[in-house]
Amino acid sequence: MAAELALWTTSAPVADRLARHPHAEVRRAVAYNEAVPPAALAALLTGAGLPPARSCLVCDGREIPFIHDPHCPDADCDLPADAACDGTHGSTVHGTRQRALANPATPPEAVAAFAEHPSVLLRWAVAEHPGLPAEVYARLAGDPDPRVRASVARNPGSGPEVSRVPATDPEVEVRRAVAHHPRVPFDVLERLTSTTRLGPEPLPRISCATPEELAQGAASANPRVRMLVAHRHDLPPELRDRLAADPDASVAKAVAPHPGLSPERLRAMVALHGRQVLARVAANPDAPGDLLAELARHEPPVRRALREIASHPNATAEALLPCLGGGRSRVRAAAHPALPAAVVVGLLDDPDPEVVEAAAGNPSLPPAVMAQRVP
């Protein structure tokens, strides 16, 4: 009960009292709470000014010293694998420190003192703290453990300049973490594109970029940088249209689903890049029915494009019929209200139960046929 209160109380005086609780588990819980006064959180790290805890979950009712063996059939299965107590409540105190170090309300100077602690879990927690001096983050950027380095690399508090060190890290996850820093310098981001796969989602740095920075990125000689900019869906129209005409297929593919592109530009993209951009053009919310029909008739068929067309609100009957060839596009097309009623009726006897279910829910299904099929 006290541990639950320690986690969620918003009263600073109550939290301060719970930080002095005689049970170490309550102290561990309160270390997570941002309402705890900074001085109390600092004390939880060092123990200074706090009375010693008298018990913990590990030593409650057990002989001391106690080391939990998770493989022993007689061991208590509710204890964590690293549970141990020699009377000083070691594993619980370690967990308390870990939580306090990651707590943004803990004073930075108290957290910084643990930057070179032997425990990697504690250094990892330090690396996640948002308010440390730049020199501490720089030190952690060279930590021997990649988890610590990755945490520093993505920590918004670490500052853009610190990201230059982990940007050349041998571990790909560390470099990927740098790319997700919201203030990573553009030149660092550009270098990362040649060494690290960054995924299709807009990066935080791109999402918060100014119009001037976006224009700079869109004009980059590096197509991977232009592609990163093209993933952002609220680009100024002139920038969006410029990227839609990009000679690199990966850039055009990234910008193809953006709303606002004219049918002429979408057709020009298909003419220039062919099947490489078909599925993404088909996903554009402004793609007209006649263009969707053209994409659906493409030879050889592009399955992903057919799936997009089958559920597109602008799809016409002409566009939907090629989607009935099989797979997920057949199921989606069976539910589309633009599918002719006669075709929907025929799908009620389809061997695929998913297609039958989709057709049965199609609003184009004639009421008389619905009535006949109701038991």
Side-chain angles (χ1 to χ4, degrees), residues 300-320:
V302 179
R303 289 186 180 181
R304 289 184 62 191
L306 292 175
R307 288 198 296 269
E308 296 290 349
I309 295 166
S311 55
H312 199 293
N314 296 340
T316 61
E318 185 183 3
L320 291 168

Side-chain angles (χ1 to χ4, degrees), residues 47-48 210 342 371 375:
T210 65

Side-chain angles (χ1 to χ4, degrees), residues 317 321 324 334 336-349 359 362-366 369:
L321 291 175
L324 295 172
H336 201 292
L339 198 64
V343 177
V344 178
V345 172
L347 292 173
L348 293 175
D349 296 318
N362 193 316
S364 295
L365 190 66
V369 176

